[in-house]
Amino acid sequence: MSRNDYSPCVEESGTGLSNSFWRKRDASMTTILNDEYYMRHALNEARMAFDKGEVPIGAVVVCRDRIIARAHNLTETLNDVTAHAEMQAVTAATNFLGGKYLTDCTLYVTLEPCPMCAGGLLWSQVSKIVYGAKDERKGYSLFSPTILHPKTTIVSGVLEDECSALLKEFFRQRR
């Protein structure tokens, strides 16, 4: 049996790795744990941001089929323009893993990362980025389409309509 037959398991308390961190993978896990499944978790984070009056963007970081970090925008709450969902999620994930690189991880985020977040994702060396809605005004692909790490895989448009609808509703209410 190889290490690939095991998945990391987050402790219930969320305090870090336990002796049971590596749990045998259930064969049925790969059937239900797909990009849409994890994007729904990112959407739940975005809804939390919405409820707090934050721009509703949510993110989760997944490592070997386990969510190791969850975050949403906190720019208003923290009075910090850099407190984007992606940066919050990367910080939580690297703290959880005990290192600065996310080479075996996937970031799921409801909106295409901005250039600032893309720069952070470059340095984190995240393996894959999956985003829902395209950011037609401030997305990294408009300004720096090659900013991400060359080995990073990009998947766009996952649950795009749901991600976009939440953002549109937020800004509709603000007008």
Side-chain angles (χ1 to χ4, degrees):
M1 203 173 287
S2 73
R3 186 172 179 154
N4 289 337
D5 295 330
Y6 290 83
S7 295
C9 177
V10 179
E11 284 184 332
E12 286 299 313
S13 66
T15 58
L17 302 178
S18 69
N19 290 336
S20 63
F21 179 75
W22 295 99
R23 178 183 295 163
K24 180 87 169 94
R25 283 188 195 198
D26 181 341
S28 65
M29 283 175 66
T30 41
T31 312
I32 61 167
L33 302 180
N34 59 26
D35 288 345
E36 284 188 14
Y37 173 84
Y38 293 116
M39 187 61 75
R40 291 199 187 285
H41 284 273
L43 266 166
N44 286 339
E45 288 293 320
R47 288 184 191 101
M48 285 188 244
F50 185 101
D51 292 343
K52 293 177 179 178
E54 296 276 0
V55 176
I57 300 170
V60 297
V61 176
V62 175
C63 183
R64 295 187 179 97
D65 298 327
R66 299 285 184 195
I67 295 172
I68 62 167
R70 302 168 185 271
H72 53 269
N73 268 6
L74 291 172
T75 58
E76 300 299 324
T77 303
L78 299 176
N79 198 28
D80 178 356
V81 296
T82 67
H84 291 194
E86 301 95 313
M87 296 295 87
Q88 300 297 310
V90 165
T91 298
T94 56
N95 285 337
F96 178 84
L97 294 172
K100 61 184 178 180
Y101 298 117
L102 300 176
T103 52
D104 294 325
C105 299
T106 299
L107 170 76
Y108 291 86
V109 61
T110 56
L111 183 67
E112 176 187 5
C114 71
M116 175 191 71
C117 292
L121 295 167
L122 161 73
W123 290 111
S124 75
Q125 298 181 17
V126 67
S127 295
K128 182 178 174 184
I129 299 169
V130 179
Y131 66 86
K134 183 162 183 61
D135 189 340
E136 300 290 343
R137 298 169 117 190
K138 297 178 184 170
Y140 82 90
S141 63
L142 295 173
F143 301 100
S144 317
T146 60
I147 194 171
L148 297 170
H149 193 277
K151 292 182 180 177
T152 299
T153 303
I154 307 296
V155 176
S156 61
V158 175
L159 300 180
E160 181 175 12
D161 292 340
E162 291 177 52
C163 295
S164 183
L166 186 61
L167 285 159
K168 286 176 183 172
E169 177 59 20
F170 177 81
F171 288 112
R172 187 193 66 75
Q173 288 182 14
R174 296 290 179 266
R175 293 186 180 119

